[in-house]
Amino acid sequence: MAERSQTAPEAGNDMGNDDAIGGNVSKYMVLPSGYCGQPKKGHLIFDACFESGNLGRVDQVSEFEYDLFIRPDTCNPRFRVWFNFTVENVKESQRVIFNIVNFSKTKSLYRDGMAPMVKSTSRPKWQRLPPKNVYYYRCPDHRKNYVMSFAFCFDREEDIYQFAYCYPYTYTRFQHYLDSLQKRNMDYFFREQLGQSVQQRQLDLLTITSPDNLREGAEQKVVFITGRVHPGETPSSFVCQGIIDFLISQHPIARVLREHLVFKIAPMLNPDGVYLGNYRCSLMGFDLNRHWLDPSPWAHPTLHGVKQLIIQMYNDPKTSLEFYIDIHAHSTMMNGFMYGNIFEDEERFQRQAVFPKLLCQNAEDFSYSSTSFNRDAVKAGTGRRFLGGLLDHTSYCYTLEVSFYSYVIGGTTAAVPYTEEAYMKLGRNVARTFLDYYRLNPLVEKVAIPMPRLRKEKPPPYKHPLLRGPARNHPNGKGDKKSSVNHKDPSNPF
């Protein structure tokens, strides 16, 4: 049994009972059973008392093996998926096996080759562990929970190693990112505080559009995008950043989109959960994406603020709320894909399929075959379902999901693991797809004339005259694929 170091802070009985894990380990040194001497190299020190950290308990099984327990979401013991912790005081060439023993889910992409992330102080870029060193299995020793074990060899004694479920994206990183955008003083980028979380963190709202679209009395076509309502779904933030980076760029497509559309983006709906290292819930244990029907201004203040704004825009005769897209990450499926709503009106249902079909043409990692339309009762409180029922037939509401692990390119079976850049690339392709949806392609050539071309290509053959309305205003109502230019996203489009 692991012993607590003399300098480690006490935490009651948190370390002795699986159900009583109440906080993260803090500089917790694991000493061999019966050891009475001075701590030395190789007596590992675990820490998760940092932003977005999560590790609730450590048990030493043997000299080389450790059972690690995920701290449940605050005020909600049901959810145990996200982990993020550091290990230090290692010995060179020290080999270990770490067992994450209390996952709350049974299905996992760890069955399909996913591996935890690792970085260290001398190698600060996140990498995936080799899948051959990762095992996912049901363990009779842990209440038949599913366990993910991974083998690792520490190679540099002075390094601090960090392990995580997926690429972390913290609240502080997000604030620094927005601060850097604000300093550029772009006249088409606006940042405001829509409200505050329970712990007084900012709920940021971004508006990206040409200033002309914001003048008094101007009619607006609004695309509303949200992310990180589930705090452990970190890929959501990378996709969101990809959307933002593209829309504020000088790319000809971005410039056309800013002229014709107003993008409203709330990239982090659950800043407290993100900061605390929760997987699914807010500070008070609420799954915010089940409370859209009646969000409380004191228990769900960020959700309440966003819902009030959306209803206000919906009631404004000058504003057409055309799209609502909520970005998530998926723990059991590959690729990017969407969930949409089911309508009695067949034509409306078909029109709703247009955007994901166009996105599938633009993004090699997006799967239309995995996209589904449903109205399960369990999803009634989600943003997609609630707003799909509230808004009229001219609005489309989607959940955009992206795999925590990988995507499979059409015609192959090989899984390509996602990187931070690949997540952001999906975001750029989401933004580009609005050009196809609104058939604004001919305008790109006009704004592109003074810009240097990024790559040699023939101008696309435009089949239709410019129609300023969306594809749903066309006679076929489905968005003719022939008029859509397949804007494959180069690795560096700017």
Side-chain angles (χ1 to χ4, degrees):
M1 168 136 176
E3 292 184 12
R4 188 178 287 278
S5 78
Q6 297 301 307
T7 58
E10 293 299 323
N13 295 321
D14 287 353
M15 304 299 287
N17 185 320
D18 188 10
D19 296 321
I21 297 171
N24 286 324
V25 294
S26 177
K27 297 295 183 182
Y28 176 69
M29 177 178 283
V30 180
L31 300 176
S33 179
Y35 184 84
C36 299
Q38 287 294 313
K40 58 185 181 181
K41 279 284 185 184
H43 293 160
L44 301 185
I45 298 175
F46 293 82
D47 187 44
C49 274
F50 53 84
E51 186 178 358
S52 292
N54 187 310
L55 182 65
R57 171 180 157 193
V58 181
D59 289 351
Q60 186 171 30
V61 179
S62 70
E63 182 184 355
F64 307 104
E65 187 173 359
Y66 302 80
D67 283 352
L68 310 181
F69 293 76
I70 296 168
R71 171 188 53 76
D73 283 8
T74 52
C75 302
N76 194 323
R78 285 182 56 203
F79 300 106
R80 303 178 306 277
V81 175
W82 173 258
F83 59 85
N84 183 13
F85 61 92
T86 62
V87 180
E88 58 188 297
N89 199 43
V90 307
K91 198 161 56 176
E92 187 176 343
S93 301
Q94 182 175 1
R95 297 174 183 275
V96 296
I97 295 174
F98 289 151
N99 309 311
I100 310 282
V101 301
N102 65 335
F103 281 109
S104 57
K105 288 191 173 188
T106 55
K107 294 181 180 178
S108 173
L109 285 164
Y110 287 123
R111 298 176 307 180
D112 303 308
M114 182 166 133
M117 313 300 306
V118 64
K119 72 173 185 176
S120 70
T121 40
S122 67
R123 288 151 297 187
K125 186 176 174 60
W126 286 103
Q127 302 173 50
R128 291 187 189 274
L129 293 174
K132 63 184 175 62
N133 294 350
V134 180
Y135 309 89
Y136 188 73
Y137 54 99
R138 196 164 197 172
C139 182
D141 294 339
H142 292 285
R143 304 180 184 179
K144 297 185 179 178
N145 276 344
Y146 279 79
V147 171
M148 186 271 292
S149 297
F150 62 95
F152 192 79
C153 180
F154 298 106
D155 59 346
R156 299 185 186 178
E157 289 197 355
E158 300 311 312
D159 271 16
I160 298 174
Y161 293 78
Q162 185 171 351
F163 300 91
Y165 180 81
C166 192
Y167 303 97
Y169 196 113
T170 64
Y171 172 78
T172 297
R173 171 176 176 166
F174 173 57
Q175 291 300 311
H176 287 328
Y177 169 64
L178 295 188
D179 290 345
S180 71
L181 296 186
Q182 263 191 301
K183 288 175 183 173
R184 292 165 59 179
N185 292 318
M186 297 169 283
D187 67 353
Y188 46 79
F189 173 85
F190 308 88
R191 176 189 183 187
E192 61 188 295
Q193 185 175 312
L194 188 57
Q196 288 187 318
S197 67
V198 174
Q199 289 188 318
Q200 306 300 297
R201 295 188 179 89
Q202 285 187 201
L203 171 60
D204 289 284
L205 176 71
L206 312 180
T207 303
I208 303 173
T209 191
S210 165
D212 287 345
N213 294 328
L214 300 179
R215 70 183 189 278
E216 192 172 349
E219 294 190 355
Q220 297 182 357
K221 289 181 179 176
V222 174
V223 174
F224 206 109
I225 297 170
T226 56
R228 287 303 278 283
V229 71
H230 291 150
E233 295 176 8
T234 57
S236 162
S237 283
F238 293 103
V239 174
C240 221
Q241 182 173 326
I243 293 173
I244 295 165
D245 284 343
F246 184 78
L247 290 176
I248 64 172
S249 75
Q250 289 306 310
H251 194 289
I253 293 174
R255 294 160 72 192
V256 168
L257 291 175
R258 291 196 298 266
E259 290 296 318
H260 288 81
L261 297 168
V262 177
F263 290 89
K264 297 275 187 182
I265 307 176
M268 196 170 278
L269 285 185
N270 191 348
D272 289 348
V274 170
Y275 187 88
L276 293 166
N278 287 353
Y279 175 66
R280 195 172 180 92
C281 295
S282 66
L283 165 77
M284 299 170 71
F286 294 110
D287 180 346
L288 296 182
N289 204 36
R290 296 296 182 271
H291 287 274
W292 276 88
L293 293 171
D294 189 24
S296 157
W298 66 271
H300 327 109
T302 56
L303 200 62
H304 182 266
V306 169
K307 180 180 173 180
Q308 293 296 107
L309 175 62
I310 289 176
I311 291 175
Q312 178 185 328
M313 290 192 300
Y314 175 63
N315 291 329
D316 183 349
K318 293 283 189 181
T319 301
S320 173
L321 185 53
E322 310 245 316
F323 281 89
Y324 171 75
I325 300 177
D326 189 26
I327 307 175
H328 289 250
H330 208 283
S331 64
T332 63
M333 292 181 66
M334 306 283 200
N335 301 94
F337 58 95
M338 280 180 154
Y339 292 122
N341 295 314
I342 288 178
F343 303 106
E344 303 300 335
D345 180 349
E346 177 64 20
E347 188 200 4
R348 184 181 183 190
F349 178 70
Q350 292 296 336
R351 291 198 310 261
Q352 186 189 211
V354 172
F355 188 86
K357 285 180 178 176
L358 293 174
L359 179 54
C360 187
Q361 292 179 12
N362 290 338
E364 65 180 4
D365 58 319
F366 184 86
S367 168
Y368 183 75
S369 61
S370 295
T371 293
S372 65
F373 304 90
N374 62 63
R375 53 178 169 203
D376 344 352
V378 72
K379 300 289 182 71
T382 65
R384 166 181 65 87
R385 281 290 308 281
F386 171 74
L387 293 173
L390 170 75
L391 306 177
D392 62 27
H393 68 280
T394 63
S395 305
Y396 298 101
C397 301
Y398 306 93
T399 300
L400 171 62
E401 297 272 5
V402 61
S403 175
F404 272 110
Y405 171 40
S406 69
Y407 58 96
V408 179
I409 298 175
T412 72
T413 55
V416 181
Y418 270 107
T419 61
E420 294 180 17
E421 167 58 26
Y423 286 128
M424 289 194 271
K425 180 177 176 180
L426 176 59
R428 296 197 293 268
N429 283 327
V430 168
R432 287 166 173 264
T433 301
F434 290 105
L435 186 88
D436 296 338
Y437 183 83
Y438 287 100
R439 303 214 173 162
L440 299 170
N441 312 78
L443 296 184
V444 174
E445 294 300 309
K446 294 178 184 177
V447 302
I449 291 171
M451 301 287 290
R453 295 192 75 82
L454 298 178
R455 60 188 189 275
K456 292 181 180 179
E457 59 182 16
K458 293 182 180 179
Y462 298 112
K463 301 288 186 180
H464 298 283
L466 173 64
L467 295 177
R468 294 186 180 273
R472 62 174 176 256
N473 291 339
H474 292 209
N476 63 10
K478 296 182 183 178
D480 188 344
K481 289 185 180 178
K482 292 182 180 178
S483 68
S484 170
V485 185
N486 191 355
H487 295 284
K488 289 292 183 187
D489 188 20
S491 59
N492 184 7
F494 311 138

